[in-house]
Amino acid sequence: MTILLLRRRALLALAAAGLLSACATGPTAGDQQPPIVFVHGNGDTAALWTTTLWRWESNGWPRSRLHAVDFPYPSARDDNTVAQPGRSSADEQMRHLAAEVDKVLAATGATQVVLMGNSRGGNAIRHYIRNGGGAAKVSHAILGGTP
């Protein structure tokens, strides 16, 4: 893992912690904390977020409120408009993210989620908020290393 990638992850975690702590007025019960959905980048998996989930959990965030998306075809197409085996379009990622957010909302009873993504995951988040109905379901979006 490169130093740049480690720095990027550290900055993303710090930004998220700062944003969420600014929203809080103090410790809250676990079911009042917003669920967080972590969205990985191009060619990666939900496993990218494992240590981040552990950190959030060790700082008091309930594990039931922490979720990581695992896109079935995480690599981008060479040309977004042309189907390519084993690769996904921006719209396919947006639809998968929308379905995952709906699952998290149903499982937690929350009305909104926080989305945290890096790289291409940030693009999926922006696309979902702008074009996929996510504006009503997302309280905060935290993007790191997103083009």
Side-chain angles (χ1 to χ4, degrees):
M1 195 173 323
T2 68
I3 292 176
L4 180 59
L5 183 57
L6 289 172
R7 285 183 184 160
R8 203 176 275 166
R9 286 184 184 168
L11 287 173
L12 182 62
L14 285 172
L19 176 63
L20 292 174
S21 68
C23 298
T25 58
T28 60
D31 63 347
Q32 293 177 358
Q33 291 173 306
I36 303 172
V37 179
F38 297 88
V39 186
H40 65 79
N42 192 53
D44 223 327
T45 70
L48 166 77
W49 297 105
T50 301
T51 58
T52 302
L53 296 174
W54 293 342
R55 285 185 196 109
W56 281 82
E57 203 173 353
S58 71
N59 284 297
W61 218 266
R63 179 64 184 95
S64 63
R65 306 297 267 191
L66 302 171
H67 307 271
V69 172
D70 204 9
F71 291 115
Y73 298 107
S75 295
R77 294 175 177 175
D78 293 333
D79 178 342
N80 194 54
T81 63
V82 178
Q84 190 174 3
R87 294 176 176 256
S88 61
S89 69
D91 285 342
E92 288 168 334
Q93 277 212 323
M94 177 192 65
R95 286 191 299 271
H96 186 82
L97 177 58
E100 290 295 314
V101 167
D102 287 344
K103 284 182 200 174
V104 169
L105 292 174
T108 62
T111 57
Q112 291 185 311
V113 299
V114 173
L115 294 178
M116 184 181 304
N118 73 312
S119 190
R120 186 179 184 216
N123 288 339
I125 290 170
R126 286 194 304 228
H127 191 31
Y128 169 59
I129 291 170
R130 184 172 189 137
N131 303 308
K137 298 176 182 181
V138 176
S139 65
H140 297 83
I142 304 162
L143 311 179
T146 299

